[in-house]
Amino acid sequence: MLLETINLTKIYKNKNTHIKALDNFTYTFESGNIYGIVGLNGAGKTTLIKTICGLLIPDSGNVYFDGNPLYPRGHKNLQLIGAILEGSRNIFWNFTPIQNVKYFSLLRGLNLKKSITKALSIFSEFDLNEKLNNPVRNLSQGMKQKIAIAISLLHDPVILLLDEPTLGLDPLAGNKMQNYILKFAKENKKIIIITSHQLSILENICDEIIFLKKGAIISSQRVDELKSSSKQTIYIIKTTKNDNLKKIYSIKHLFFNIEIKENCVEFKFNSKVVSLEKILQLLKNFDLSIIDIEKQKPSLEDVFLKEMGT
Amino acid sequence: MKVFSIILAECYREFVYAKRYSVERISSLVMLFFIFFGIVYSSTTSFNPGQSNHFDSISTAHRIIGFLLWFFALDAVGHLSSSIREDLHIGILEQIALSPYSLIFNLLGRSLSRLIINFSISIILFYVLQNTFNVTIKIPVGVLVLFIITYAGLYGLGLFFAGLTLIFKRLGPITTITRFLLLIFTGAIIPLDSFPSYLKYFSLTLPMTLGLSIIKNLIFERVTFFEVAGSIKFFLFIANSLFYLCIGIITFLYLEKRARSKGALGTY
């Protein structure tokens, strides 16, 4: 399966404002891969997810499933999609998990018996078997999220869109969820597109990361390349504090982060952007004495901060 | 097959809700009964102590039939809009709309299941009202066909409001006004002949008036369905129901597309 988005553009228009949520978004997603979409709030991540699953009609551009366009009349392709949408309820909180399974199975035209069996097996993997007769509203946020994900998998979607799927999950549940998503994508050759602000999760499970800013792709990278990239090195330099600190903000664009601690100042930067020698010279110019220099490979968060220009 | 399955899903949902919120349903039914009781008694009782009260069993029987049809109209006109509003409010509409099919099929399922529930309730209500007012009403089978055609028009009006709800979110007062227009101006409790002619013409444009009038012809004037079926009145009745149904479907499909363009399925 090949999912392509070609020149997707979406502008939200109000009386006085025009906000470009997607700006000629073109990308090809392939089976068996997990794609992470990252960007600041309002970058267009949710708009992209909703456009791919037919909930938001783009102003221009199209989504293609193995070459078949979704808009205007290709909605039968939506059978291939399962989605967890951020900020909305994906299941009925007044229903029990089993009642939710029955409703959504019927909604998708599935065999009820087979769906319940499948749901029970997924619930078992998510440790949910004891809570199946409780109304969902009485369950924790993490459990609600797990039930929603289990239900989105009932019709065995070829494409799974997950908008902030690990929101509200404790680290253990988040970890189990990561493993399940990874297994689901790799064993069944699915396309999974995830948005999340928890970059460590994306780093662990994604094959490719797409950086989105104001609706446009500013870069995309394979995670393994990102990790093995020798050109990029992150340095953390600890210096003493002095009165020149205010002046140093004039060159803050060279750094990912400047953190003033109790006894020192930490400067974090990427050697690809500016060389270590230059930074050392600059710090010397500001009369800051070096306490320590630490060298590390960039994490996804570091790359994210660099790409977003923060 | 998939469309049938969507309808089944919505039926299942309505029945789960009906079971879970049975107290609410029963209490609203009791309230309706008292409203009707008050309407019938107030129309047959005089405030003037010198004037004797006159209880007219034929008028009461007419009002019972009018009230029962209005009972269905009450739900057909407002339920789709309020269920869409509830889905928008709790934030599940997008997940439901994540389907190759229009939301119109979901609404058809909701309407059908409510129709089944309301049909059961109306049978109870029918017997309680007959016993309370001591009248006997025999309903010929042909009424069922007339009822379905009338309901189709009302369903169209319900779809129209449901579509508007996708864009404007809160339409409560408008659907309430429409429901009371249907109670007052369709001949359900006030005879059409008592209205000035301009109101009479207005009432004929409403989706329940002609249906109710023909239903009453069958019940009270012993006219057969086949006798009615050839009349101009019946033709106008079909045209009226079709008009409302088509307007409802076209408006809903247009506004659903507009909501999907604006991203309004996920906002309340």
Side-chain angles (χ1 to χ4, degrees):
Chain A
M1 160 62 72
L2 212 59
L3 169 69
E4 292 166 289
T5 58
I6 310 283
N7 294 328
L8 279 182
T9 299
K10 182 74 201 175
I11 300 169
Y12 292 114
K13 293 169 194 158
N14 278 330
K15 276 179 191 166
N16 305 318
T17 54
H18 282 46
I19 299 165
K20 207 171 221 183
L22 279 180
D23 187 1
N24 280 306
F25 186 97
T26 300
Y27 210 80
T28 301
F29 303 90
E30 290 171 19
S31 291
N33 284 322
I34 304 177
Y35 298 85
I37 312 280
V38 297
L40 300 172
N41 291 332
K45 303 184 293 291
T46 299
T47 300
L48 173 68
I49 295 282
K50 287 186 180 177
T51 308
I52 293 174
C53 64
L55 292 172
L56 194 59
I57 301 172
D59 296 330
S60 61
N62 214 330
V63 180
Y64 295 87
F65 298 84
D66 273 341
N68 301 311
L70 173 61
Y71 302 103
R73 295 188 196 285
H75 282 70
K76 65 175 191 298
N77 293 304
L78 295 178
Q79 290 177 102
L80 305 169
I81 288 182
I84 293 294
L85 304 163
E86 185 239 348
S88 63
R89 281 189 205 176
N90 291 286
I91 48 174
F92 290 99
W93 287 11
N94 288 338
F95 284 21
T96 64
I98 288 295
Q99 284 172 333
N100 270 295
V101 169
K102 286 181 183 170
Y103 172 80
F104 283 104
S105 301
L106 286 169
L107 196 67
R108 286 167 188 150
L110 307 175
N111 178 303
L112 217 51
K113 239 181 181 175
K114 281 184 188 168
S115 290
I116 292 171
T117 311
K118 185 171 181 183
L120 288 175
S121 122
I122 304 174
F123 286 158
S124 164
E125 285 203 51
F126 287 168
D127 299 326
L128 285 167
N129 276 353
E130 288 173 15
K131 310 275 184 182
L132 299 184
N133 292 316
N134 291 2
V136 171
R137 66 169 178 273
N138 295 341
L139 306 179
S140 68
Q141 180 58 30
M143 284 178 175
K144 284 172 188 150
Q145 193 72 338
K146 286 195 270 188
I147 292 165
I149 290 178
I151 285 171
S152 74
L153 298 174
L154 285 178
H155 61 300
D156 200 20
V158 181
I159 299 157
L160 189 60
L161 307 172
L162 302 170
D163 201 0
E164 295 287 351
T166 49
L167 209 66
L169 297 186
D170 59 62
L172 189 66
N175 203 30
K176 276 194 172 179
M177 185 74 71
Q178 287 179 45
N179 293 338
Y180 190 83
I181 292 169
L182 206 55
K183 193 176 126 192
F184 181 72
K186 300 299 169 191
E187 285 181 4
N188 305 295
K189 293 272 171 204
K190 308 287 184 183
I191 295 173
I192 300 188
I193 303 174
I194 308 180
T195 74
S196 179
H197 287 294
Q198 290 167 283
L199 301 180
S200 58
I201 290 176
L202 297 184
E203 196 170 2
N204 289 342
I205 62 171
C206 289
D207 297 290
E208 280 182 54
I209 303 287
I210 299 159
F211 295 90
L212 209 57
K213 192 174 184 180
K214 292 181 179 170
I217 299 174
I218 49 171
S219 82
S220 66
Q221 221 167 343
R222 287 198 67 82
V223 173
D224 46 8
E225 284 171 12
L226 188 148
K227 283 179 177 170
S228 65
S229 166
S230 57
K231 288 178 186 169
Q232 290 191 55
T233 304
I234 301 298
Y235 285 99
I236 301 169
I237 301 181
K238 283 182 188 168
T239 68
T240 53
K241 289 178 37 180
N242 69 19
D243 293 338
N244 288 331
L245 271 177
K246 278 181 189 168
K247 291 178 197 166
I248 215 159
Y249 277 97
S250 61
I251 54 160
K252 69 173 184 181
H253 60 278
L254 298 175
F255 303 97
F256 279 164
N257 197 20
I258 301 173
E259 196 176 344
I260 300 168
K261 298 199 165 175
E262 202 178 333
N263 302 318
C264 64
V265 187
E266 256 187 31
F267 297 90
K268 199 172 181 183
F269 67 97
N270 187 335
S271 64
K272 201 183 172 188
V273 178
V274 58
S275 70
L276 176 64
E277 292 74 24
K278 189 177 178 188
I279 292 291
L280 289 174
Q281 185 58 50
L282 283 166
L283 295 175
K284 197 179 168 188
N285 294 346
F286 286 106
D287 291 329
L288 293 165
S289 309
I290 309 294
I291 300 170
D292 184 34
I293 300 177
E294 192 187 324
K295 189 178 170 185
Q296 57 179 219
K297 283 284 168 201
S299 67
L300 181 56
E301 192 175 345
D302 297 322
V303 180
F304 173 77
L305 291 170
K306 176 189 156 260
E307 297 291 356
M308 295 301 142
T310 54
Chain B
M1 185 59 196
K2 277 275 169 69
V3 168
F4 179 68
S5 196
I6 292 172
I7 292 169
L8 269 185
E10 293 299 340
C11 286
Y12 175 73
R13 174 190 168 174
E14 287 295 340
F15 287 117
V16 172
Y17 271 153
K19 198 177 159 195
R20 188 173 293 279
Y21 302 114
S22 53
V23 173
E24 189 196 20
R25 288 292 290 164
I26 291 166
S27 50
S28 58
L29 195 66
V30 171
M31 186 187 75
L32 269 178
F33 172 77
F34 281 119
I35 289 173
F36 183 67
F37 186 83
I39 289 169
V40 172
Y41 262 87
S42 61
S43 62
T44 56
T45 311
S46 170
F47 282 106
N48 186 348
Q51 209 171 41
S52 64
N53 295 334
H54 174 66
F55 184 79
D56 176 358
S57 62
I58 293 174
S59 298
T60 304
H62 273 259
R63 286 196 177 94
I64 287 176
I65 293 300
F67 175 75
L68 282 176
L69 195 62
W70 179 70
F71 168 69
F72 283 99
L74 197 67
D75 214 51
V77 170
H79 175 62
L80 297 182
S81 165
S82 63
S83 73
I84 285 274
R85 192 178 66 231
E86 191 188 329
D87 285 353
L88 280 165
H89 182 57
I90 63 176
I92 201 161
L93 189 66
E94 286 189 311
Q95 191 57 253
I96 293 172
L98 198 66
S99 147
Y101 301 96
S102 161
L103 280 169
I104 211 162
F105 296 109
N106 298 74
L107 297 187
L108 179 62
R110 288 177 204 187
S111 219
L112 282 176
S113 50
R114 290 286 282 212
L115 191 59
I116 295 166
I117 294 167
N118 287 341
F119 209 81
S120 320
I121 292 170
S122 70
I123 290 170
I124 300 167
L125 207 56
F126 183 55
Y127 281 100
V128 171
L129 289 171
Q130 282 187 100
N131 286 317
T132 306
F133 295 106
N134 201 22
V135 290
T136 308
I137 304 167
K138 281 186 180 163
I139 297 185
V141 184
V143 166
L144 193 65
V145 180
L146 299 172
F147 170 77
I148 291 168
I149 298 168
T150 311
Y151 195 82
L154 293 167
Y155 174 69
L157 194 57
L159 276 179
F160 175 77
F161 287 128
L164 290 178
T165 307
L166 287 175
I167 304 293
F168 301 107
K169 317 298 176 192
R170 283 174 176 245
L171 288 181
I174 297 174
T175 55
T176 306
I177 291 168
T178 309
R179 285 156 157 175
F180 282 102
L181 278 178
L182 292 176
L183 179 68
I184 297 165
F185 293 107
T186 56
I189 53 164
I190 303 169
L192 289 181
D193 291 338
S194 61
F195 292 134
S197 57
Y198 69 92
L199 270 184
K200 217 185 286 180
Y201 288 121
F202 164 71
S203 72
L204 288 173
T205 64
L206 295 173
M208 204 178 100
T209 313
L210 285 166
L212 178 61
S213 171
I214 299 174
I215 285 172
K216 283 180 178 176
N217 289 156
L218 256 71
I219 295 173
F220 300 113
E221 291 164 26
R222 303 273 172 230
V223 180
T224 65
F225 176 78
F226 296 103
E227 284 170 325
V228 167
S231 65
I232 293 173
K233 192 178 177 182
F234 187 77
F235 171 76
L236 289 174
F237 164 55
I238 299 273
N240 179 288
S241 280
L242 266 179
F243 171 78
Y244 277 101
L245 185 61
C246 291
I247 287 290
I249 291 171
I250 292 166
T251 312
F252 186 85
L253 290 176
Y254 169 72
L255 293 174
E256 183 186 356
K257 194 177 172 193
R258 206 165 151 219
R260 283 184 196 262
S261 288
K262 288 177 68 175
L265 294 180
T267 55
Y268 182 64

